[in-house]
PDB file of all heavy atoms in Angstrom:
ATOM      1  N   TRP J 207     -65.547 -10.902 -65.098  1.00 93.00           N
ATOM      2  CA  TRP J 207     -64.433 -10.043 -64.668  1.00 93.00           C
ATOM      3  C   TRP J 207     -63.135 -10.614 -65.226  1.00 93.00           C
ATOM      4  O   TRP J 207     -63.133 -11.698 -65.837  1.00 93.00           O
ATOM      5  CB  TRP J 207     -64.397  -9.905 -63.138  1.00 93.00           C
ATOM      6  CG  TRP J 207     -64.077 -11.169 -62.381  1.00 93.00           C
ATOM      7  CD1 TRP J 207     -64.843 -12.290 -62.293  1.00 93.00           C
ATOM      8  CD2 TRP J 207     -62.913 -11.431 -61.586  1.00 93.00           C
ATOM      9  NE1 TRP J 207     -64.231 -13.233 -61.501  1.00 93.00           N
ATOM     10  CE2 TRP J 207     -63.039 -12.725 -61.053  1.00 93.00           C
ATOM     11  CE3 TRP J 207     -61.766 -10.682 -61.284  1.00 93.00           C
ATOM     12  CZ2 TRP J 207     -62.068 -13.302 -60.223  1.00 93.00           C
ATOM     13  CZ3 TRP J 207     -60.799 -11.256 -60.462  1.00 93.00           C
ATOM     14  CH2 TRP J 207     -60.961 -12.548 -59.934  1.00 93.00           C
ATOM     15  N   GLY J 208     -62.043  -9.894 -65.041  1.00 95.00           N
ATOM     16  CA  GLY J 208     -60.783 -10.327 -65.612  1.00 95.00           C
ATOM     17  C   GLY J 208     -60.348 -11.703 -65.162  1.00 95.00           C
ATOM     18  O   GLY J 208     -59.824 -12.494 -65.953  1.00 95.00           O
ATOM     19  N   GLY J 209     -60.578 -12.008 -63.893  1.00 94.00           N
ATOM     20  CA  GLY J 209     -60.175 -13.309 -63.367  1.00 94.00           C
ATOM     21  C   GLY J 209     -60.895 -14.464 -64.036  1.00 94.00           C
ATOM     22  O   GLY J 209     -60.295 -15.520 -64.288  1.00 94.00           O
ATOM     23  N   GLU J 210     -62.170 -14.265 -64.354  1.00 95.00           N
ATOM     24  CA  GLU J 210     -62.915 -15.323 -65.034  1.00 95.00           C
ATOM     25  C   GLU J 210     -62.389 -15.517 -66.451  1.00 95.00           C
ATOM     26  O   GLU J 210     -62.221 -16.656 -66.917  1.00 95.00           O
ATOM     27  CB  GLU J 210     -64.406 -14.998 -65.060  1.00 95.00           C
ATOM     28  CG  GLU J 210     -65.245 -16.114 -65.688  1.00 95.00           C
ATOM     29  CD  GLU J 210     -66.724 -15.811 -65.711  1.00 95.00           C
ATOM     30  OE1 GLU J 210     -67.122 -14.668 -65.418  1.00 95.00           O
ATOM     31  OE2 GLU J 210     -67.508 -16.732 -66.046  1.00 95.00           O
ATOM     32  N   ALA J 211     -62.123 -14.408 -67.145  1.00 97.00           N
ATOM     33  CA  ALA J 211     -61.558 -14.515 -68.499  1.00 97.00           C
ATOM     34  C   ALA J 211     -60.221 -15.241 -68.471  1.00 97.00           C
ATOM     35  O   ALA J 211     -59.908 -16.047 -69.358  1.00 97.00           O
ATOM     36  CB  ALA J 211     -61.390 -13.113 -69.097  1.00 97.00           C
ATOM     37  N   PHE J 212     -59.435 -14.976 -67.450  1.00 97.00           N
ATOM     38  CA  PHE J 212     -58.130 -15.601 -67.278  1.00 97.00           C
ATOM     39  C   PHE J 212     -58.279 -17.084 -66.968  1.00 97.00           C
ATOM     40  O   PHE J 212     -57.621 -17.942 -67.578  1.00 97.00           O
ATOM     41  CB  PHE J 212     -57.397 -14.886 -66.148  1.00 97.00           C
ATOM     42  CG  PHE J 212     -55.953 -15.251 -65.991  1.00 97.00           C
ATOM     43  CD1 PHE J 212     -55.039 -15.006 -66.997  1.00 97.00           C
ATOM     44  CD2 PHE J 212     -55.487 -15.812 -64.801  1.00 97.00           C
ATOM     45  CE1 PHE J 212     -53.691 -15.312 -66.846  1.00 97.00           C
ATOM     46  CE2 PHE J 212     -54.149 -16.128 -64.636  1.00 97.00           C
ATOM     47  CZ  PHE J 212     -53.251 -15.878 -65.663  1.00 97.00           C
ATOM     48  N   GLY J 213     -59.144 -17.403 -66.029  1.00 96.00           N
ATOM     49  CA  GLY J 213     -59.339 -18.794 -65.639  1.00 96.00           C
ATOM     50  C   GLY J 213     -59.878 -19.646 -66.764  1.00 96.00           C
ATOM     51  O   GLY J 213     -59.501 -20.822 -66.915  1.00 96.00           O
ATOM     52  N   GLU J 222     -54.993  -7.711 -62.295  1.00 95.00           N
ATOM     53  CA  GLU J 222     -55.833  -7.876 -61.114  1.00 95.00           C
ATOM     54  C   GLU J 222     -54.951  -7.786 -59.871  1.00 95.00           C
ATOM     55  O   GLU J 222     -53.725  -7.654 -59.972  1.00 95.00           O
ATOM     56  CB  GLU J 222     -56.576  -9.217 -61.140  1.00 95.00           C
ATOM     57  CG  GLU J 222     -57.670  -9.319 -62.187  1.00 95.00           C
ATOM     58  CD  GLU J 222     -58.855  -8.394 -61.941  1.00 95.00           C
ATOM     59  OE1 GLU J 222     -58.967  -7.861 -60.815  1.00 95.00           O
ATOM     60  OE2 GLU J 222     -59.659  -8.196 -62.870  1.00 95.00           O
ATOM     61  N   ILE J 226     -56.970 -12.553 -56.934  1.00 88.00           N
ATOM     62  CA  ILE J 226     -57.080 -13.519 -58.030  1.00 88.00           C
ATOM     63  C   ILE J 226     -56.568 -14.891 -57.603  1.00 88.00           C
ATOM     64  O   ILE J 226     -56.983 -15.920 -58.145  1.00 88.00           O
ATOM     65  CB  ILE J 226     -56.340 -13.027 -59.291  1.00 88.00           C
ATOM     66  CG1 ILE J 226     -56.825 -13.816 -60.530  1.00 88.00           C
ATOM     67  CG2 ILE J 226     -54.826 -13.127 -59.133  1.00 88.00           C
ATOM     68  CD1 ILE J 226     -56.349 -13.256 -61.847  1.00 88.00           C
ATOM     69  N   MET J 230     -58.632 -18.279 -58.476  1.00 89.00           N
ATOM     70  CA  MET J 230     -58.097 -19.369 -59.290  1.00 89.00           C
ATOM     71  C   MET J 230     -58.105 -20.681 -58.511  1.00 89.00           C
ATOM     72  O   MET J 230     -58.452 -21.740 -59.050  1.00 89.00           O
ATOM     73  CB  MET J 230     -56.678 -19.043 -59.760  1.00 89.00           C
ATOM     74  CG  MET J 230     -56.570 -17.890 -60.737  1.00 89.00           C
ATOM     75  SD  MET J 230     -57.531 -18.070 -62.266  1.00 89.00           S
ATOM     76  CE  MET J 230     -58.940 -16.979 -61.881  1.00 89.00           C
TER      77      MET J 230
END
Side-chain angles (χ1 to χ4, degrees):
W207 66 293
E210 183 180 10
F212 190 62
E222 290 293 346
I226 198 170
M230 293 302 102

